[in-house]
Amino acid sequence: MMLRAKTRKRLIIVLAVSAACAVLVGGAFAVRLRIISHRAQEARSVGMAAYERGDWADAMSELSKFRRGHPSDPEVNFRIAEARLKQPLPGGRELGAALPLLRQVLAAQPDRLDAAHALLDIYGHGMNVEARALAEQVLQKHPDDVPALKALSIALLRLKQEKTALPVAEKWAKTAPDDLESHLTVLTLLQGLKEPPEQGLGYAETLRKAHPDDARYQLVMSVAYSMLQQPENALT
């Protein structure tokens, strides 16, 4: 049936109005998206600047605004996690808050050492299995990475795997000879393996002779004497 002229005209008007409304709504939506995007980028810039100057609270606040619309930005996630770790919470809750963010960063950028090191620090709070796995992963590509050597040594020690831990700790001590904790870890492992106390004493004596004016190595010597059950010599 042919539409009447008036009906046809009305239909054309309705369609034209609908199209105009769609264009207006679409344009308004596009403008709204641009505003949101601009504000998000502004929050990112402000948050990054706050992070650089050490304003951790402002950094978290601004970067979190950006993250709401961009949850996969590795750099933002890393900075939020780091800022959170800089502000301890009761019960160590900052560790739990930073953990998933750092895991997300490392999943997106597996070779990112700063994220791996931050995760290893968190895993050092009793997550020994996770620490061992991540440290071994890092050391496959970076065999002299000191934070990974440290994390693996301590994780293996806590897991009662002293025999496996000893060569790792010795490499840690060799790679970072000024790190007192590395030498004390070697002595602890020697004691745990029930090696002759003289072995630990010889290790400490070698260090003291190499650093005769450094009081830190006198402390290492004191620990070795304690293993020999010679406390009278510990501070001499």
Side-chain angles (χ1 to χ4, degrees), residues 18-38:
S18 298
C21 289
V23 170
L24 289 173
V25 171
F29 183 69
V31 170
R32 177 62 177 166
L33 284 180
R34 284 197 294 272
I35 292 173
I36 292 173
S37 177
H38 175 75

Side-chain angles (χ1 to χ4, degrees), residues 186-198:
V186 170
L187 292 176
T188 300
L189 288 165
L190 288 171
Q191 185 180 39
L193 288 168
K194 303 188 185 304
E195 296 291 343
E198 291 79 9

